[in-house]
Amino acid sequence: MKRGKLFYVVGASGAGKDTLMAFAQESLTNHPVGRHPVKFAQRYITRPASVGGEDHIPVSREDFRRMQADQQFPLWWGSHGNLYGIHQEIDQWMNEGYAVVVNGSRGYHATAEERYPEMITVSIEVSESILRARLHQRGRESEAEIEQRVARSQQFTDFTATHLVSIQNDQPLEISGNAFVAAILRLIASPSDK
């Protein structure tokens, strides 16, 4: 069986990764030609579920470190005071032929690409003005924290990857979401670069 592809989705906080991934998951599950062999991995995060934002698996810092020591996270990183992990089930899914979509980190990208050199990086891009507006709208950060996130987003303007696809997310969800779904389907069907 052909090993499935890994899609590593990155973008600034507030760029709309979670929204696009949720749209793609629903679209691919309900696709008129039948369910596509795509799985969406949930992240383990040392953040309570009650905080809001993405649908994640909350875990204590102690349990995260135990799982990390047991090598349950082939991908993990720290950001903004939390730890994030992608469970080893993604390797099982890819070995079963599934394409796997994960919500990644730009700061951890180089390490992830070393671990999975054939992964396809999907960069979700958004203008600075829309990013700032979305961060204000979600109401999770102070004004100073919003400006820090906007400034951090500019650190990755020259982002590169071996296999890179960019999705502009300044448009309505239906347009950006369908572009994201189309990119996944196109790349699943294409042969891997060697």
Side-chain angles (χ1 to χ4, degrees), residues 45-82:
I45 307 177
T46 57
R47 180 175 68 206
S50 59
V51 172
E54 74 176 278
D55 182 18
H56 66 280
I57 300 170
V59 61
S60 70
R61 188 169 288 268
E62 294 74 22
D63 285 344
F64 189 101
R65 290 299 190 195
R66 178 186 54 76
M67 294 174 76
Q68 181 186 9
D70 290 343
Q71 299 183 344
Q72 293 186 44
F73 298 133
L75 301 173
W76 70 271
W77 60 91
S79 180
H80 301 288
N82 290 303

Side-chain angles (χ1 to χ4, degrees), residues 10-21 53 123-143 145-147 149-150 153 167-177:
V10 297
S13 180
K17 298 188 305 293
D18 299 325
T19 302
L20 286 179
M21 288 176 68
S123 179
I124 308 301
E125 300 172 3
V126 67
S127 68
E128 186 176 314
S129 61
I130 289 181
L131 176 63
R132 185 177 282 107
R134 287 180 182 167
L135 291 170
H136 276 288
Q137 184 176 17
R138 75 182 186 182
R140 288 193 338 217
E141 295 94 357
S142 68
E143 188 67 35
E145 289 169 332
I146 287 173
E147 291 308 315
R149 287 190 181 273
V150 171
S153 74
I167 302 293
Q168 190 66 35
N169 195 23
D170 285 349
Q171 303 179 66
L173 176 59
E174 184 175 335
I175 295 173
S176 299

